[in-house]
Structures are given as C-alpha cells and as structure tokens.
Amino acid sequence: MNIKNYINGQNENPINNEWIDNYCPANGEVYGKIPNSSKADVENAYNAAKSAFPVWSQTTFEARSRILIKISELLEANLQRFAEAESKDNGKPISLAKTVDIPRAASNFRFFGNAITQFASESHESVGQEAMNYTLRQPIGVVGCISPWNLPLYLFTWKIAPAIAAGNCVVAKPSEVTPMTAYLLGNICNEAGLPKGVLNIVHGLGTTTGQAIVEHPGIKAISFTGGTETGAHIAKVAVPMFKKLSLELGGKNPNIIFADCDYESMLETTIRSSFSNQGQICLCGSRVFVEASIYDRFKIDFIAKVKQLKVGHPSEESTNIGALVSKTHLEKVLNYIDIAKNENGIVLCGGNKVIIKDFENGYYLEPTVIEVLTNECQINQEEVFGPVVTIMPFNSEDHVLQMANKVKYGLSATLWTNDLKRTMRMSSQIQAGIIWVNTWMMRDLRTPFGGVKASGIGREGGFEALRFFTEAKNVCIKY
Ligand code: NAD
C-alpha cells in the first residue's frame, strides 16, 4: 500500500513524486512506498497549519477537548486494524501492539483532551504595590513534532495530542521506518471532525523532510524524540533560530537488584524490562547490576526464563520476541554483540540470528544476555537498543551507585529493594529523569517524563507538555 502525506485534511502525493520503500521486518520484503517529501511538501504543510491557526487557537477548550476525545474513541474502535498495521510495519508482537501501543495512543488523546480543560495559569498579587499580575498561556503557533520508530503511534501521539490540545497547529513527521499508523491516523482525525490544517503529517527521510521542518523559520517549536546524535544536530539548527526545543533522546538505563527485593516479582519484571519490544524501548534496563550475594542464583533463574521466550512471527499471539525493526538495525545490534565478545564479555545465552521457516529474510535475533566484568566496557556505555542486556555483580550501594551514574546517559533507572532508607538515598542520587522502584514502565500520564545528561532536555507529560506547547506571558495591571 502506498502511504500519502496528510496536508490540510487531504491525502496527498509528494510534489516531486519520489518514493521510499517500506519494509516488513517479519519477512524482509517491501510491501509499500512512502513519500520522500521535499521542502516544498513541508512548505505546503506549514501553510495549511498557519491558515488553520487563527481559528483553532480561538476554539474553546470544550470543543478542542471533544475532538481529542473523539479521536481517542475512534482509535479504540479501530484497535485491531491499527494493531495489525503497527505490528506489520514495526515487527513488534501483535499482542504488544494490541495491549500497549494502540491503547496508549488512544490514552494520549483522551488524557490531553481532559488535561486541557484543567490547565490553569497563575496570578500573582503584588501586595503593597496595588498591582495584579496574571499569566496568559498562549499557543505558540505552528509547531513541529518528530518521532522515532520504536513505539510509532504511541510516541507520535504523545507529542501531537498536547500540541493541538493547547491550540497549536502541527507539522509532524513519523519515522520513515514505521510510517503506517501515522498515515492511518489522518483519516481518523477527519472522521473526528478535527478542522483541516490543524494536523499535517509529512513523510520522508530525517535528513531531508525532518531537516526541512527543523529549519523552517515559521515553525516555532520542535518536539523531538529519537537518537542523541540526531538530537544534538537538531539543537544546532534550532537553537540559533531561538526555537523552543524538547529533546527526548537515548538511554543506557541501570536495573539495580538488591538481595532484599521481592525475588519473583523482580525476575518477571526484569524479563520485561530487558526484552519488551525486542529491547527497543528507550526505558529498557539494559545494564543489570545484581548484588553479589544473589548473583549466581539470579544468573541461573534469569537465563532459564530468557530461554523460554518465544522468538516468532509478530502476528502470532504466542510470540514474545518479534522481529527487529530493520536490517540495518539488526546488523548494528549483532555488531555490538561482537564488540562485547571482543572485550571479554561472556555470552550466557542468545547472540545469534533466528531463522523462522517461511520468513527466512525476517530480522530475528535471540534474546541475549552477556556477562561483563566491568561497567567501563563499550557494551555498557553505548546504547544498543535491541534484545541484549549485560549482567554483572556489585558489592555495595556505593559501588553500584557509582556504576549506575558512570555513563553519558540519564533517562531512567530501576531499583529493586525493600529497604526504604536505601530507596530514598539511591533515588535522590541516581542521575536520571525517571526512577522506578520495584516496578518498571508503570506510567501515569500526569508525571513529568524525560531525561538528564545525553538523554535530553525538557520534560513532557501532563501539564509539563502543555507548558512546553504554550508561551507564558505575564500581564501586570496597576490599579
Ligand atoms: P533517529 O534519531 O534516527 O530518528 C528519529 C526521528 O528523527 C525520525 O523521524 C527521523 O527521520 C528524524 N530525523 C533524523 N535525522 C533528522 C534531522 N537531521 N532533522 C530532523 N529529523 C531527523 O532515532 P530512531 O533510530 O528513529 O529511534 C531510536 C532512538 O530514539 C534511540 O536512541 C532511542 O533511545 C530514542 N528514543 C528515545 C525516547 C525517549 O523518550 N527519550 C523514546 C523512544 C526512543
């Protein structure tokens, strides 16, 4: 199926009529084309957004909210179709697309549809000066949203929903690797009554289409989720243009397991935090540190459980690990396994490609556990973003804290312990934007989401996202 751009409420071919192949990771075959959009398509999208802005920004909160909630309901009504499309496009198990990706995309619209009706601004009475200040929270105008391939619709809508809820108009680009559900979203928006031009979706490569969005002088804010290198490049372009910028970037998250934890619950969750979505979640705990006294027991039990995971075709309900997103990505992950071996890492299980009958060209990889001797090695310092975790023992709280922080990233961390004082100490000292204690990826959409260090700048989620997508203007009245 050929995907089209969604501009001013219409499905449009790219002006230059250039197309990119769209691959199905499960079998390695091309199953459609996507627009290789140029600057001219971005310009059209921008013009549509700009024209829609005066009316949309003056539309009441109730009316905006109703439309967002309608989009959410339509996504829920089309759950199966969207989940199948996401699984085919990305390689993720259908069970995951059905229970996580699409329900969460629907929740994003519902949440921000509700949040905008509760979003208040501040007032400050200047006592003794006979003056009153109040803050206006005004939409920015036309904003750009750029998202990655790992949680395609989930992360695309995480940006779009707050942007339009706050009264902005959007030029958005999903990853060229997983464009399908963003394409399907256009028709849902029309059906929900979203006025034309409020949301425009332009498909294409990052270096051309994405770059054109970032460089566009009329696009005043960029919300980007993706790799750290891309984020740094975007910042170089956007900062001298004084654009508002939110960057959600890579991670190399520690999963810290103390001997006093609830062992069974830790084991179950550590399987998920290591291998969910083929390990292609920025929040996955890819460095597992285990207190020395339970290290041998953990090693045996963990590997036994990893070996039970079924690598299979994404459309099968029983599949735990689907296909990696692309051939290039599979090669990158395999290369990291070689690097780990060369630096004396011991592959305890996995490490090889999996050939699935009838789908021999699909991008399948065994879930892989590597024992490392030091946190300083390359496999522990760089983001692999695949079904690969390292494990190593630690002796003390200080030792593990130092290793957890000795990495350039700072997105999230997981702690397994029942010691309250230790929880409080470690949570305050770990350098990360998100800490989970005795759980992983438990999300409450009201909470701030984002990272420190090379994991990004700014926070999304809840009112943080609505603050990002509005400009605060103070009005001071002397009476
Ligand atoms: P990527 O940086 O290659 O691409 C992300 C998006 O940016 C894509 O849409 C791409 O086309 C676009 N892009 C690329 N170059 C661009 C440019 N010069 N100008 C504008 N846009 C450009 O990342 P990816 O490989 O799609 O995704 C994986 C990365 O995303 C991982 O590093 C992962 O950790 C990160 N990620 C972070 C979070 C988070 O919330 N922090 C969430 C998910 C993924």
Side-chain angles (χ1 to χ4, degrees):
M1 191 214 293
N2 281 7
I3 281 173
K4 305 207 170 177
N5 290 330
Y6 172 72
I7 296 176
N8 211 24
Q10 306 281 336
N11 289 326
E12 305 272 8
N13 287 331
I15 291 166
N16 57 15
N17 204 29
E18 282 181 20
W19 302 83
I20 310 166
D21 288 337
N22 190 18
Y23 286 85
C24 171
N27 59 19
E29 286 168 16
V30 172
Y31 78 107
K33 303 255 179 219
I34 81 160
N36 185 7
S37 304
S38 64
K39 261 189 170 176
D41 300 291
V42 171
E43 190 60 34
N44 281 353
Y46 169 75
N47 287 330
K50 190 176 168 217
S51 307
F53 181 69
V55 172
W56 183 246
S57 57
Q58 292 304 313
T59 300
T60 63
F61 295 123
E62 290 78 8
R64 279 187 229 153
S65 171
R66 268 198 303 276
I67 293 173
L68 267 87
I69 288 169
K70 184 73 191 162
I71 297 174
S72 165
E73 289 167 357
L74 287 170
L75 280 172
E76 279 163 355
N78 286 278
L79 172 73
Q80 185 68 24
R81 185 165 69 93
F82 270 76
E84 281 170 14
E86 199 73 296
S87 167
K88 184 170 184 181
D89 213 27
N90 171 281
K92 67 177 69 218
I94 181 77
S95 55
L96 196 71
K98 254 194 318 203
T99 54
V100 177
D101 290 82
I102 309 306
R104 172 56 192 276
S107 299
N108 289 339
F109 281 107
R110 186 181 306 278
F111 176 83
F112 284 107
N114 287 319
I116 195 60
T117 67
Q118 305 298 317
F119 186 46
S121 54
E122 311 84 51
S123 68
H124 301 89
E125 185 181 5
S126 301
V127 177
Q129 294 179 294
E130 294 185 333
M132 174 61 91
N133 294 272
Y134 64 89
T135 308
L136 292 173
R137 285 260 163 205
Q138 297 178 315
I140 298 169
V142 180
V143 300
C145 298
I146 301 177
S147 59
W149 49 256
N150 63 323
L151 300 165
L153 194 66
Y154 174 134
L155 288 174
F156 193 61
T157 55
W158 180 235
K159 298 177 177 309
I160 288 167
I164 62 179
N168 301 285
C169 293
V170 176
V171 177
K173 191 192 94 62
S175 168
E176 62 276 26
V177 187
T178 52
M180 185 55 86
T181 45
Y183 168 59
L184 299 177
L185 180 68
N187 292 340
I188 294 270
C189 289
N190 286 351
E191 206 180 327
L194 187 71
K196 60 184 187 175
V198 172
L199 171 64
N200 305 276
I201 304 171
V202 194
H203 295 272
L205 301 175
T207 45
T208 49
T209 319
Q211 183 82 17
I213 294 174
V214 178
E215 281 176 353
H216 197 292
I219 297 179
K220 299 292 184 201
I222 302 288
S223 170
F224 169 81
T225 299
T228 293
E229 250 177 62
T230 317
H233 171 80
I234 287 175
K236 268 194 205 144
V237 180
V239 170
M241 298 175 84
F242 309 110
K243 298 192 180 203
K244 247 185 144 176
L245 204 52
S246 169
L247 301 173
E248 301 283 350
L249 311 176
K252 190 73 192 176
N253 312 308
N255 177 7
I256 302 169
I257 300 166
F258 285 95
D260 71 336
C261 70
D262 292 336
Y263 189 81
E264 288 308 318
S265 151
M266 174 280 294
L267 204 58
E268 273 311 309
T269 309
T270 296
I271 291 286
R272 261 192 331 113
S273 66
S274 303
F275 300 114
S276 268
N277 203 38
Q278 297 68 248
Q280 304 166 141
I281 302 182
C282 53
L283 304 164
C284 277
S286 52
R287 295 183 294 150
V288 184
F289 298 109
V290 187
E291 194 164 8
S293 61
I294 59 162
Y295 184 70
D296 290 337
R297 177 183 172 203
F298 172 82
K299 199 159 117 176
I300 293 168
D301 294 343
F302 185 55
I303 288 161
K305 273 201 181 293
V306 175
K307 285 186 172 164
Q308 286 167 13
L309 293 172
K310 185 187 156 200
V311 181
H313 193 279
S315 67
E316 280 177 27
E317 290 285 347
S318 59
T319 290
N320 302 116
I321 311 260
L324 270 66
V325 78
S326 69
K327 188 157 183 270
T328 336
H329 191 57
L330 172 66
E331 281 159 6
K332 177 186 152 187
V333 177
L334 281 167
N335 186 44
Y336 267 113
I337 296 173
D338 282 342
I339 289 173
K341 285 184 195 159
N342 288 336
E343 47 188 13
N344 299 324
I346 302 163
V347 177
L348 299 175
C349 70
N352 303 303
K353 281 210 278 197
V354 179
I355 305 293
I356 296 189
K357 194 171 169 302
D358 299 330
F359 308 106
E360 285 79 3
N361 294 323
Y363 317 133
Y364 301 96
L365 179 63
E366 290 171 335
T368 302
V369 181
I370 303 174
E371 184 172 55
V372 293
L373 307 173
T374 155
N375 179 55
E376 315 284 305
C377 57
Q378 206 177 335
I379 191 87
N380 256 36
Q381 292 295 317
E382 294 178 15
E383 186 185 45
V384 178
F385 217 57
V388 178
V389 293
T390 65
I391 64 171
M392 71 173 281
F394 66 87
N395 292 313
S396 68
E397 195 180 304
D398 283 349
H399 179 211
V400 76
L401 184 63
Q402 186 237 334
M403 292 194 292
N405 287 341
K406 202 154 189 206
V407 71
K408 74 172 179 175
Y409 297 105
L411 187 55
S412 70
T414 306
L415 267 182
W416 289 95
T417 180
N418 279 310
D419 181 331
L420 180 61
K421 287 181 186 163
R422 174 153 64 203
T423 300
M424 305 299 275
R425 274 193 305 268
M426 298 270 303
S427 306
S428 89
Q429 289 179 64
I430 292 176
Q431 296 160 356
I434 302 147
I435 314 272
W436 279 295
V437 183
N438 300 329
T439 184
W440 176 72
M441 216 170 148
M442 195 178 228
R443 294 285 291 119
D444 179 325
L445 302 190
R446 294 169 301 178
T447 59
F449 183 93
V452 300
K453 304 200 289 192
S455 293
I457 49 169
R459 291 292 180 275
E460 298 187 344
F463 290 158
E464 298 283 347
L466 295 176
R467 285 188 197 106
F468 175 76
F469 283 114
T470 50
E471 286 288 2
K473 181 194 284 175
N474 191 66
V475 180
C476 177
I477 304 173
K478 171 89 176 145
Y479 56 87

